Amino acid sequence: MKKYFLLMVISIFAAVLAACGNGGSEEAATTEDSEESAETSETAENEEAEEAGGTISIAASPAPHAEILEEAATILEEEGIELDIAIVNDYTTPNRLLADEEVDANYFQHTPYLETEKESHGYDITSAGNVHIEPMAVYSQDYESLEDLPDGSTILVSNNPAEEGRFLSFFVDAGLIEIEEGIEIQNATFDDITENPKNFEFNNQTAPELLVSMYENNEAPAVIINSNFALDGGLNPVEDSIVVEDGESPYANLVAVRTGDEDREDIQRLVEVLQGDEIKQFIEDNYEGAVIPVQ
């Protein structure tokens, strides 16, 4: 009888231990599952943060492009996106850097120039979005209008073939020259001039970054200067020129990337910021019409 009672006690005790053991295992398993779930969630959040953040390397002209980017960088930094801005003071290097994957983007050019570069070099580059217009202007030390320029005047312009029509547009609009009928002004070249009664000569042998010093040295009756170089040289296109483009110019400056990268979240966010109200206000406050944000 005592033996039977002892066996019953042992059995009950074993059952209790088994129950406790199972409960402990289930509790441990539940705890482990919770920890794994938390770790998975944290990993996913970190991956999302990393995807949304990171660094964008971008090549840009000094003014106004790099200045605008510096302002945008303060906004993007709050979102975990850092801008690594490489200042380049010519028109040929930025697209090469982009094509060679030395930078993620560039910001210095307009669509006609980009298309010319793609055709010339085979670059697989595309626009991620327009940001601003830099109205080009004509400067003169001695004359107050295009009409005042004497017969046979030399007009210094940059050696950028994509902008020949843009240079000519000043004189076409003033009624001083005519181009071949049926040719859109943005596609026109000097060879398309059909009427030039004052025999103006367009000298396009100069790199654009040298035109400010040539104007300051009064090396020609008139000089046409891109606004980024004018601003960088201390000139205000609105105040210092004899004629300036208006806001209807088709030559909006853009952010360029390798084709396909325009879909990157960080690139899209960069363009959104550059087109946003804060940057528009910055442009209007700091450049007073010398740079015009896109609408």
Side-chain angles (χ1 to χ4, degrees):
M1 182 71 178
K2 287 181 181 180
K3 185 177 180 180
Y4 176 74
F5 177 75
L6 180 60
L7 289 173
M8 287 185 62
V9 170
I10 291 172
S11 299
I12 293 170
F13 183 67
V16 170
L17 286 177
C20 290
N22 288 339
S25 298
E26 289 176 3
E27 183 178 347
T30 302
T31 302
E32 288 176 4
D33 289 344
S34 299
E35 288 176 353
E36 288 179 4
S37 177
E39 288 176 3
T40 301
S41 177
E42 184 178 353
T43 301
E45 289 176 3
N46 289 338
E47 287 177 352
E48 284 182 15
E50 187 176 339
E51 184 176 350
T55 300
I56 301 172
S57 57
I58 182 166
S61 298
H65 306 80
E67 296 170 349
I68 294 171
L69 287 173
E70 291 287 357
E71 186 68 17
T74 61
I75 301 171
L76 292 166
E77 187 177 14
E78 297 176 359
E79 303 175 19
I81 299 174
E82 180 182 351
L83 290 187
D84 181 10
I85 303 167
I87 295 177
V88 181
N89 202 29
D90 68 68
Y91 282 172
T92 57
T93 304
N95 281 332
R96 179 185 59 77
L97 292 176
L98 180 57
D100 291 346
E101 300 187 14
E102 295 183 41
V103 295
D104 299 313
N106 66 44
Y107 174 36
F108 78 102
Q109 64 192 322
H110 50 61
T111 298
Y113 183 75
L114 173 60
E115 293 304 317
T116 299
E117 284 275 277
K118 289 166 65 175
E119 184 176 345
S120 298
H121 301 284
Y123 293 144
D124 191 14
I125 295 173
T126 192
S127 170
N130 293 335
V131 181
H132 73 266
I133 297 167
E134 294 173 29
M136 187 177 280
V138 185
Y139 299 81
S140 177
Q141 298 273 15
D142 302 316
Y143 304 99
E144 296 184 357
S145 71
L146 295 180
E147 290 79 4
D148 292 339
L149 294 173
D151 288 5
S153 289
T154 294
I155 293 89
L156 292 177
V157 302
S158 80
N159 57 1
N160 181 0
E163 293 191 316
E164 290 186 9
R166 192 178 187 186
F167 305 143
L168 292 174
S169 66
F170 291 105
F171 297 86
V172 170
D173 292 344
L176 296 172
I177 65 172
E178 294 180 10
I179 62 172
E180 189 171 338
E181 188 175 351
I183 294 180
E184 297 289 337
I185 190 62
Q186 61 266 29
N187 299 323
T189 69
F190 298 137
D191 292 336
D192 296 319
I193 298 173
T194 57
E195 298 290 338
N196 183 10
K198 298 188 75 170
N199 297 307
F200 292 136
E201 180 183 345
F202 295 90
N203 183 325
N204 63 338
Q205 302 303 307
T206 304
E209 60 268 24
L210 301 178
L211 289 170
V212 171
S213 63
M214 297 181 78
Y215 160 70
E216 291 173 341
N217 294 331
N218 202 15
E219 296 185 28
V223 184
I224 303 179
I225 306 175
N226 296 77
S227 283
N228 59 308
F229 292 112
L231 291 168
D232 197 42
L235 295 174
N236 185 308
V238 176
E239 298 176 359
D240 298 324
S241 69
I242 60 174
V243 60
V244 63
E245 287 177 325
D246 60 27
E248 298 302 315
S249 169
Y251 297 91
N253 281 222
L254 55 88
V255 173
V257 296
R258 289 182 293 279
T259 301
D261 282 356
E262 68 272 19
D263 297 325
R264 277 174 45 175
E265 288 185 16
D266 55 351
I267 295 293
Q268 290 180 348
R269 183 58 188 142
L270 167 63
V271 174
E272 286 173 2
V273 168
L274 290 172
Q275 294 176 341
D277 291 339
E278 289 182 66
I279 296 301
K280 284 182 179 179
Q281 193 63 53
F282 172 81
I283 290 173
E284 291 169 358
D285 291 344
N286 285 272
Y287 301 107
E288 300 179 340
V291 180
I292 304 170
V294 295
Q295 301 302 318

